[in-house]
């Protein structure tokens, strides 16, 4: 009997535990379900907030665009609120371009050419024609109208006289003149940096190829002041020896400027004969110096034409 009662008690206890377990399980399931519902609600609210934020941002952008368009005077059309809460897209009206006024004409003078030409002359001048042209009288060489007052060079006045060629300013123009002499078979001794103490009576004529070049001065290892001092001493020695001084400026407008002008003035002031490419004397700097000394002068249209003057002077 006791065994039966014990067994019944155990069964009652097991039944009670089972009932409690089912109650806990049911309670836990309800809590979990409620929790999932709350999470779903929060997620929906978050989604709604995100959409509202995106919409607010879009509206702000559109409002800024509308404000900019209104400030520019572009008409903006709105769609009624019943249809949409946002501003309808606006087709921007292109603004008419402002009339372009023609650039004012300038009367400022052309900038003074630089001392360095774009490229150093080659052995032959760029303007050198392929065929040897017939010699023209020196007095007929192209020249400014004002130069007609200057005396013409005398044909054959230097015939048979030995000549030396040097540079005043160390530009490549000395090589241009050397090429011109070679073309007419005029034998000249070229020494671009000869000093006064080296000049002798062996030569009767000294040709000064005038034109300044910073590059040439640097290659010679001297500066402009040293070159001017050499030129002054050389001219003085040439006069002492009774030599005929020919000043030549063949570089045209490209060989004009402050540096070249500093060499032009003493060389042409000392010249007994001058040969000039006319484009280099547009301001009559050389003409005025030569006119003051009544120096025989020939103007050439281009460097290649200057050889005709040399050819006639030396009677070739």
């Amino acid at each position: 009997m006791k065994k039966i009662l014990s067994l019944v008690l155990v069964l009652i206890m097991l039944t009670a535990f089972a009932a409690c377990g089912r109650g806990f399980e049911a309670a836990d399931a309800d809590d979990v379900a409620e929790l999932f519902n709350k999470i779903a609600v929060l997620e929906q609210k978050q989604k709604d907030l995100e959409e509202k934020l995106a919409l607010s941002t879009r509206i702000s952008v559109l409002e800024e665009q509308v404000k900019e368009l209104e400030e520019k005077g572009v008409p903006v059309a709105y769609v009624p609120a019943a249809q949409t809460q946002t501003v309808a897209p606006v087709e921007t009206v292109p603004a008419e371009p402002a009339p372009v006024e023609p650039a004012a004409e300038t009367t400022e003078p052309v900038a003074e050419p630089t001392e360095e030409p774009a490229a150093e002359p080659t052995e032959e001048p760029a303007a050198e024609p392929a065929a040897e042209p017939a010699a023209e009288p020196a007095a007929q060489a192209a020249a400014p109208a004002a130069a007609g007052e200057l005396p013409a060079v005398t044909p054959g006045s230097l015939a048979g006289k030995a000549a030396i060629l040097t540079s005043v300013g160390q530009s490549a123009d000395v090589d241009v003149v050397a090429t011109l002499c070679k073309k007419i078979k005029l034998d000249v001794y070229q020494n671009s940096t000869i000093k006064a103490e080296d000049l002798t009576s062996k030569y009767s004529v000294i040709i000064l190829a005038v034109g300044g070049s910073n590059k040439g001065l640097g290659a010679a290892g001297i500066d402009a002041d040293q070159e001017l001092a050499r030129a002054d001493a050389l001219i003085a020695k040439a006069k002492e020896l009774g030599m005929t001084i020919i000043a030549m400026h063949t570089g045209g407008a490209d060989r004009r400027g402050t540096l070249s002008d500093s060499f032009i003035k003493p060389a042409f002031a000392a010249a007994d004969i001058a040969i000039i490419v006319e484009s280099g004397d547009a301001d009559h700097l050389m003409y005025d110096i030569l006119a003051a000394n009544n120096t025989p002068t020939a103007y050439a249209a281009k460097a290649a034409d200057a050889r005709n003057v040399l050819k006639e002077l030396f009677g070739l």
Side-chain angles (χ1 to χ4, degrees), residues 184-204:
I184 62 174
K185 296 179 172 57
L186 174 61
D187 187 20
V188 296
Y189 170 66
Q190 181 180 350
N191 186 335
S192 299
T193 58
I194 189 171
K195 296 181 179 180
E197 55 266 30
D198 298 322
L199 198 61
T200 68
S201 57
K202 176 181 177 181
Y203 301 99
S204 303

Side-chain angles (χ1 to χ4, degrees), residues 56 63 172 204 269 283 290 299:
S56 176
E63 287 176 346
S204 303
D283 60 353
L290 297 167
Y299 280 86

